[in-house]
């Protein structure tokens, strides 16, 4: 790396304005970006038209944010990307994996000029190339996708090794065909606006989120490439500076997490190196390093010792840092994230102002405070005022992105001019808060009493040996029993029937008949294929969480509350606003009907408490542990009704248990205690002869293996085929006593695994764990697959199980 001499004079002087946000939803209020991008993928919108639409959306967003009060240079974030903020950096650094070498910036001209880049300019990675890396193409697998910190957003994982090129192309920003941060600054300035503040994933976080490529030498860690990445970021910052950015925001949420494979001291040393080096660059915008999704902890003094001009603190997920750490922030701007970027509830303005006042009181005189959100608002929908079909009172408690911008503004006024300056807002907020607390659905004494009456015995089943014997006698399953994870392909007819029923075009009787016909078809198919434990296929479920949210009390659904999940994929989480109860059975009629069609055991299908919470917007007024137990009790009643209806096997899915694991190790035991406890509450009433299954996916099973063991399910199915059962030795070493179904078919791809392949995976599993404990099943549900590949794959899976059973 080339270390420039600091030239303080060259650093601009405009301070950050008193109110800002760390990011804003990029999909557009009516999912304009999703529509445009998908139209482009379908071939209905050419690249230039797509870029025009994106530019129009960005311009509208900037204008909207100014109207909402984010005025002054650098107040508005420039955080647009067509797909993902991490992929945006990967392409800017030219660091695409080898299989996409032809797409790298500088890999050659863009022959048909499809990138839309200025003629003669360096083309960079074209927009079609950017999408190819994101989505894959033929044999070239897409970049892996995984969850961004403890959120529901998925990013594309960089793949690095010793020889991955990492070189930012000078001038790339100005003609960037992916409309990256420098282009966004230029575009705003050209429109006569103040410069927005580019938002870029910071170098340390970028590397910690990366994985070693398959070609990497043993022991290689992406963080080993820090010097190269810093060099590239130096060019990026120079470009941003040349484009006219006065400030840049570098997001470093990785610093709040202490659970990386890299030891903490090395993470802190990397942060110190990175920001000392960056601060020393002569020609650059001022730098805001944002520590989001939790407290910076011991990374705060490290950043404080560098020359960065501003540090962002998440004061929602984290507490106010110790006074001694704050005392070291003289001369810096503290960007105080007191408005949550993660939830959809109004901020307690009085409490947030008190935090801001304490912060200012603890900071040296030379430090200044800017009011902000705790994270980007990319995790929340645009505008709660549009949710006119919600009950008025529930709507009045909500703050989506636009309302949060207003809150940030209000708090900035309050901090600058005193409480009396925002007295009206404080009173209105307190009134709404009191009304919310007093709402009859928010606190229901019967629900509270039921949770208070829960004892450890309610979370404890008979000893496993007793259960196993009772289940074996009842179910009479072969060795290596075969099953699926629950959903079968959702055909166009099934979707059409659900949609027609929802719109009123299909009456209840017609809908019931359509679903029953589908269930019958799925049951007959499974019998014919020869599966041992059957499922009803989940045709009636649009989504495994929303289905339950619609049937439980305490939830509401939004109309426009979309948030980006990944790429063009958006979800509309339900709002869990009140005490939860189950007014009536939710799944029993479908499962009982399915069981009536067959002599084979039918598996009832429920979504577990942690997953329901992880994929909803959860109330912030009571502890999550209590919400989880309310859900646990509702599901417990459902399990009891399934049992009463003669269902011998019940699966309670908890695919989200890993993703909401806290980022700091110290917070994990408490989380695992309540999440495991809620699952056990849901399942703890089941008779010994009822077999309880659970299902987890998204790999990384090893991180939570202990907790999964404590779920005390009789059978646990996990994703394992992509990693070729790599996880099983760890499972064996851990001493997992109960039964396990490691997936033998990667359902994320349309590829049909052969019988040989499935058998080979099963043999590996048998070698690690012994045949008695094992099941044969796919990695996950089949709802995204088509029937043709499903039928062949399941036939192969069943044939493989038979072969391995026979000892072949
Ligand atoms: N039972 C669900 C299904 O089969 C599980 C899905 C999941 O794990 N995400 O679709
Ligand atoms: Zn799954």
């Amino acid at each position: 790396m080339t270390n420039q001499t600091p030239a303080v004079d060259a650093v601009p002087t405009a301070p950050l304005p008193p109110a800002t946000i760390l990011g804003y939803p990029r999909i557009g209020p009516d999912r304009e970006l999703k529509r445009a991008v998908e139209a482009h993928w379908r071939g209905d919108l050419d690249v230039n038209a797509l870029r025009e639409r994106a530019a129009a959306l960005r311009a509208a967003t900037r204008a909207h944010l100014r109207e909402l009060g984010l005025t002054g240079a650098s107040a508005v974030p420039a955080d647009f990307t067509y797909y993902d903020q991490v992929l945006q950096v990967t392409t800017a650094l030219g660091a695409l994996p080898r299989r996409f070498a032809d797409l790298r910036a500088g890999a050659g001209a863009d022959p048909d000029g499809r990138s839309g880049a200025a003629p003669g300019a360096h083309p960079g990675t074209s927009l079609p190339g950017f999408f190819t890396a994101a989505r894959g193409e033929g044999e070239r697998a897409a970049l892996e996708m995984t969850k961004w910190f403890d959120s529901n957003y998925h990013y594309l994982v960089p793949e690095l090794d010793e020889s991955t090129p990492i070189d930012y192309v000078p001038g790339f920003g100005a003609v960037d065909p992916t409309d990256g941060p420098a282009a966004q600054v230029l575009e705003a300035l050209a429109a006569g606006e103040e410069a927005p503040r580019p938002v870029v994933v910071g170098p340390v976080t970028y590397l910690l989120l990366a994985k070693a490529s398959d070609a990497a030498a043993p022991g290689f860690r992406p963080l080993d490439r820090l010097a190269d990445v810093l060099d590239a970021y130096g060019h990026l910052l120079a470009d941003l500076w040349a484009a006219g950015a006065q400030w840049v925001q570098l997001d470093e949420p990785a610093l709040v997490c202490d659970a990386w494979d890299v030891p903490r001291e090395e993470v802190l040393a990397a942060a110190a190196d990175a920001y000392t080096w960056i601060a020393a660059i002569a020609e650059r915008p001022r730098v805001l390093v944002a520590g989001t999704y939790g407290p910076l902890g011991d990374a705060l003094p490290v950043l404080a010792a560098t020359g960065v001009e501003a540090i962002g603190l998440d004061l929602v997920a984290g507490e106010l840092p110790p006074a001694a750490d704050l005392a070291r922030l003289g001369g810096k701007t503290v960007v105080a994230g007191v408005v949550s970027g993660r939830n959809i509830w109004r901020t307690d303005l009085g409490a947030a102002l008190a935090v801001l006042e304490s912060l200012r009181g603890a900071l040296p005189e030379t430090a200044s405070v800017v009011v902000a959100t705790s994270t980007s608002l990319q995790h929340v929908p645009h505008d709660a005022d549009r949710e006119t079909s919600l009950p008025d009172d529930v709507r009045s408690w909500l703050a989506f992105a636009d309302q949060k911008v207003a809150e940030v503004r209000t708090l900035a006024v309050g901090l600058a001019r005193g409480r009396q300056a925002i007295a009206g807002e404080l009173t209105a907020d307190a009134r709404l808060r009191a009304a919310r607390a007093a709402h009859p659905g928010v606190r229901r004494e019967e629900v509270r009493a039921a949770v208070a009456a829960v004892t450890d015995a309610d979370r404890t089943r008979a000893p496993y040996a007793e259960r196993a014997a009772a289940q074996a006698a009842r179910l009479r399953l072969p060795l290596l029993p075969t099953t699926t994870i629950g959903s079968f392909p959702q055909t166009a007819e099934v979707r059409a029937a659900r949609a027609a029923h929802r719109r009123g075009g299909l009456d209840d009787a017609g809908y019931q008949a359509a679903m029953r016909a589908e269930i019958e078809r799925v049951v007959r198919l499974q019998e014919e294929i020869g599966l041992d434990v059957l499922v009803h296929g989940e045709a009636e479920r649009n989504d495994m969480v929303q289905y339950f949210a619609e049937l439980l009390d305490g939830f509401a659904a939004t109309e426009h509350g979309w948030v980006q999940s990944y790429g063009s994929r958006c979800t509309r989480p339900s709002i869990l606003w009140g005490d939860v109860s189950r007014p009536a059975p939710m799944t029993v009629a479908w499962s009982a009907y399915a069981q009536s069609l067959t002599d084979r055991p039918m598996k009832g299908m429920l979504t577990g408490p942690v997953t329901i919470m992880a994929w909803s917007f959860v109330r912030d007024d009571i502890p999550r542990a209590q919400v989880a137990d309310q859900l646990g009790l509702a599901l417990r009643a459902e399990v009891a009704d399934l049992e009463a209806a003669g269902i011998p096997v019940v699966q309670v899915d908890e695919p989200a248990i890993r993703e909401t694991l806290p980022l700091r190790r110290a917070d994990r035991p408490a989380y695992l205690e309540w999440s495991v406890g809620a699952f056990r509450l849901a399942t703890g009433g089941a008779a010994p002869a009822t077999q309880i299954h659970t299902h987890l996916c998204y790999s990384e099973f090893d991180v939570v293996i202990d907790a999964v063991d404590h779920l005390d399910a009789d059978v646990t199915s996990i994703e394992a085929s992509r990693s070729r059962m790599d996880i099983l030795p760890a499972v064996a070493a851990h001493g997992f006593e109960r039964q396990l179904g490691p997936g033998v078919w990667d359902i994320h791809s349309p590829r049909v695994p052969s019988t040989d392949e499935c058998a080979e995976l099963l043999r590996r599993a048998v070698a690690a764990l012994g045949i008695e404990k094992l099941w044969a099943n796919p990695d996950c549900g089949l709802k995204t697959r088509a029937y043709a590949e499903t039928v062949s794959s399941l036939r192969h899976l069943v044939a493989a199980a038979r072969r391995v059973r026979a000892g072949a």
Side-chain angles (χ1 to χ4, degrees):
M1 60 183 116
T2 47
N3 214 334
Q4 285 112 331
T5 4
V8 177
D9 294 348
V11 175
T13 49
L16 272 179
T20 191
I21 57 175
L22 298 192
Y24 188 75
R26 54 177 84 111
I27 56 176
D30 288 302
R31 290 179 291 158
E32 289 86 347
L33 184 61
K34 171 198 178 69
R35 290 174 211 283
V37 163
E38 290 179 355
H40 171 64
W41 292 342
R42 281 196 309 271
D44 294 343
L45 198 66
D46 72 22
V47 91
N48 292 319
L50 169 61
R51 295 186 68 196
E52 275 164 29
R53 289 222 199 154
L57 174 61
R58 290 192 297 266
T61 300
R62 291 193 304 267
H64 184 58
L65 290 175
R66 284 196 304 276
E67 258 165 48
L68 290 173
L70 293 187
T71 49
S74 308
V76 168
D79 58 349
F80 175 86
T81 171
Y82 285 96
Y83 202 97
D84 166 46
Q85 63 239 24
V86 180
L87 177 63
Q88 194 68 41
V89 175
T90 298
T91 47
L93 302 186
L96 288 164
R98 190 161 290 109
R99 64 183 179 283
F100 294 123
D102 58 310
L103 308 175
R104 284 174 188 154
D110 188 21
D112 34 8
R114 286 181 309 165
S115 69
H122 195 291
T125 299
S126 70
L127 195 48
F130 176 88
F131 289 135
T132 300
R135 305 171 70 220
E137 180 182 67
E139 289 294 293
R140 303 202 274 181
L143 292 175
E144 187 191 320
M145 192 166 67
T146 196
K147 300 254 171 171
W148 169 258
F149 297 92
D150 57 353
S151 81
N152 248 332
Y153 174 75
H154 303 67
Y155 73 94
L156 292 168
V157 182
E159 289 170 37
L160 303 176
D161 54 51
E162 303 81 343
S163 57
T164 308
I166 297 180
D167 41 25
Y168 183 85
V169 183
F172 178 62
V175 293
D176 183 353
T178 66
D179 297 326
Q184 292 170 48
V185 173
L186 289 169
E187 145 190 296
L189 291 172
E193 303 165 24
E194 305 242 45
R197 182 182 78 251
V199 178
V200 181
V201 175
V204 179
T205 293
Y206 179 76
L207 287 170
L208 287 170
L209 291 178
K211 65 172 191 182
S213 85
D214 290 343
F220 168 82
R221 303 174 316 174
L223 197 57
D224 299 342
R225 300 291 308 270
L226 182 63
D228 301 322
V229 164
L230 287 178
D231 209 35
Y233 271 72
H235 292 299
L236 168 70
L237 295 188
D239 250 14
L240 293 174
W241 175 235
Q246 304 202 13
W247 280 86
V248 61
Q249 173 183 328
L250 295 174
D251 285 336
E252 289 287 10
L255 299 181
V256 314
C257 174
D258 63 7
W260 302 107
D261 292 339
V262 179
R264 182 72 178 165
E265 310 79 70
E266 288 183 47
V267 171
L268 295 180
D273 283 356
Y275 288 100
T276 303
W277 191 84
I278 283 176
I281 295 170
E283 306 217 314
R284 61 163 174 87
R286 289 184 162 201
V287 172
L288 157 61
V289 181
T292 44
Y293 302 86
L296 278 166
D298 51 2
L300 179 57
V302 170
L303 293 174
T306 71
V308 301
E309 287 79 9
I311 297 176
L313 303 176
D314 182 333
L315 298 173
V316 178
E319 316 261 271
L320 212 54
D325 290 351
L326 293 175
R328 298 194 212 179
L329 296 174
K332 296 206 194 296
T333 298
V334 176
V335 176
V338 290
V339 169
S340 172
R342 304 291 303 279
N343 74 30
I344 44 122
W345 306 102
R346 289 178 65 94
T347 302
D348 182 337
L349 294 177
L353 193 54
V355 169
L356 291 166
E357 287 162 349
S358 314
L359 173 68
R360 194 170 52 189
L363 286 170
E365 294 258 309
T366 52
S368 52
V369 177
V370 163
V371 182
T373 52
S374 64
T375 66
S376 166
L377 293 169
Q378 75 178 111
H379 305 297
V380 301
H382 277 79
D383 183 5
D385 289 346
R386 292 180 73 192
E387 298 300 334
T388 48
S389 62
L390 282 178
D392 285 344
D393 36 19
V394 173
R395 191 181 63 232
S396 73
W397 311 332
L398 302 179
F400 291 179
D402 288 359
Q403 288 71 36
K404 285 170 186 286
V405 175
E407 290 178 343
V408 163
R409 276 257 311 155
T410 300
L411 288 166
V413 172
L415 185 64
R417 298 200 225 129
R419 286 186 173 243
Q420 65 293 345
I422 58 164
E425 286 90 339
L426 288 171
T427 313
D429 179 57
R431 205 183 308 116
L432 285 167
R433 206 157 288 286
R436 180 177 166 195
H439 189 283
V442 164
R443 184 181 177 91
R444 293 172 49 206
E445 293 310 329
E446 69 281 16
V447 177
R448 302 293 169 109
V451 168
V454 168
T455 64
D456 278 353
D458 296 323
R459 306 188 201 262
T460 311
R461 297 182 72 203
Y464 175 63
E466 184 185 323
R467 282 153 32 200
Q471 292 159 23
R474 179 180 188 186
L475 299 172
R476 305 186 168 285
L477 295 170
L479 277 178
L480 224 45
T482 54
T483 191
T484 62
I485 306 305
S487 59
F488 265 68
Q490 294 236 332
T491 59
E493 299 77 60
V494 165
R495 290 177 201 278
R498 264 204 327 261
H501 183 233
R502 187 171 288 265
R503 285 193 310 265
L506 183 64
D507 65 9
D508 287 351
Y511 176 69
Q512 291 276 336
M515 292 300 122
R516 285 182 165 228
E518 178 67 13
I519 289 172
E520 172 150 24
R521 222 173 50 72
V522 168
V523 169
R524 296 288 168 250
L525 176 67
Q526 294 171 85
E527 286 183 322
E528 192 256 312
I529 291 174
L531 287 151
D532 298 308
V533 172
L534 310 193
V535 297
H536 76 287
E538 301 180 24
E540 76 287 4
R541 301 185 193 176
N542 42 358
D543 171 276
M544 65 186 284
V545 168
Q546 200 185 327
Y547 178 79
F548 291 94
E550 284 172 4
L551 295 172
L552 288 166
D553 284 337
F555 284 86
T558 69
E559 272 179 283
H560 308 282
W562 296 98
V563 294
Q564 186 185 20
S565 171
Y566 63 88
S568 71
R569 175 71 149 260
C570 301
T571 61
R572 202 167 33 146
S574 298
I575 298 175
L576 196 175
W577 61 270
D579 279 353
V580 174
S581 67
R582 185 194 72 139
M586 304 179 284
T587 65
V588 180
W590 304 122
S591 291
Y593 174 68
Q595 182 67 86
S596 77
L597 300 171
T598 180
D599 293 334
R600 300 191 190 201
M602 182 60 56
K603 181 159 69 167
M605 279 300 148
L606 304 176
T607 302
V610 179
T611 301
I612 291 181
M613 288 171 69
W615 297 348
S616 304
F617 287 120
V618 179
R619 61 191 298 183
D620 62 346
D621 57 338
I622 62 173
R624 293 176 87 79
Q626 200 178 335
V627 178
D629 273 354
Q630 293 183 4
L631 285 160
L633 281 177
L635 292 165
R636 182 184 182 94
E638 187 73 8
V639 172
D641 284 341
L642 285 167
E643 278 187 313
I647 305 298
V649 182
V650 179
Q651 178 171 308
V652 180
D653 288 325
E654 281 293 20
I657 207 157
R658 163 72 186 91
E659 76 195 41
T660 40
L661 193 67
L663 303 176
R664 289 181 303 169
R665 291 188 204 270
D667 298 334
R668 291 183 173 182
Y671 161 80
L672 290 171
E673 166 126 14
W674 68 251
S675 56
V676 168
F679 179 94
R680 292 178 62 131
L681 182 57
T683 54
T690 300
Q691 189 170 67
I692 298 292
H693 289 220
T694 190
H695 166 71
L696 295 99
C697 36
Y698 305 116
S699 58
E700 293 192 302
F701 179 60
D702 42 338
V703 189
V704 285
I705 190 161
D706 208 35
V708 175
D709 205 8
H710 282 107
L711 295 177
D712 197 29
D714 299 303
V715 182
T716 302
S717 61
I718 59 170
E719 179 178 309
S721 72
R722 272 201 204 180
S723 62
R724 305 202 30 88
M725 306 274 158
D726 279 354
I727 181 70
L728 295 191
V731 177
H734 178 271
F736 201 74
E737 284 307 308
R738 283 160 267 99
Q739 300 158 64
L740 192 75
V744 295
W745 164 26
D746 173 13
I747 58 83
H748 301 292
S749 127
R751 212 179 137 264
V752 174
S754 67
T755 303
D756 285 349
E757 265 178 78
C758 294
E760 173 54 23
L761 290 177
L762 286 174
R763 280 189 215 101
R764 282 179 178 231
V766 168
L769 288 177
I771 198 163
E772 291 78 17
K773 280 186 198 156
L774 287 167
W775 286 63
N777 47 256
D779 271 343
C780 192
L782 309 177
K783 65 172 171 243
T784 56
R785 295 273 56 87
Y787 261 105
E789 70 228 28
T790 294
V791 172
S792 313
S793 301
L794 288 177
R795 284 195 205 287
H796 296 172
L797 184 151
V798 168
R802 290 187 178 147
R803 199 187 281 175
V804 176
R805 249 175 233 164

